[in-house]
Amino acid sequence: MKDANDMSAADAPTDTPTHDPADTPTPNARTGPREEDRAPMTFTVRVFIYLVGVHFIAGFLFLLFYVAGAK
C-alpha cells in the first residue's frame, strides 16, 4: 500500500512550470557598503590599537635581541 510519502523519481509529476524572469522582482542595485556591512567603530579602534601594540612589542623584542647580539 502506497501513501503520499512513497514517491520515486518515476512517480514525480512531469509538468514543470516555466519560469519567466519578468515575473520576479529585481533586487535593488547596491552602490556601496551599507551600515550593516561595516564593523562597529569600537571594534575597529580596538583592532587598530592591538595591531599597533603588537608591532610595538615585536619591535621592542627585536631591539632587545639586536642589542644583546651586538657583543
Side-chain angles (χ1 to χ4, degrees), residues 3-5 9 20 23 25-26 28-30 34 44 48 53-54 56-57 59 61 66 70:
D3 62 0
N5 292 328
D20 187 11
D23 291 340
T26 58
N28 294 338
R30 292 183 58 183
R34 293 186 182 167
T44 306
F48 180 75
V54 166
F56 180 76
I57 291 170
L61 289 174
Y66 181 76

Side-chain angles (χ1 to χ4, degrees), residues 10-67:
D11 298 332
T14 57
D15 57 337
T16 57
T18 59
H19 176 67
D20 187 11
D23 291 340
T24 59
T26 58
N28 294 338
R30 292 183 58 183
T31 57
R34 293 186 182 167
E35 182 70 25
E36 304 91 35
D37 296 336
R38 296 182 60 196
M41 184 56 78
T42 55
F43 178 75
T44 306
V45 169
R46 197 166 62 224
V47 166
F48 180 75
I49 291 171
Y50 289 159
L51 284 174
V52 169
V54 166
H55 281 88
F56 180 76
I57 291 170
F60 180 71
L61 289 174
F62 178 79
L63 179 67
L64 285 178
F65 279 99
Y66 181 76
V67 169

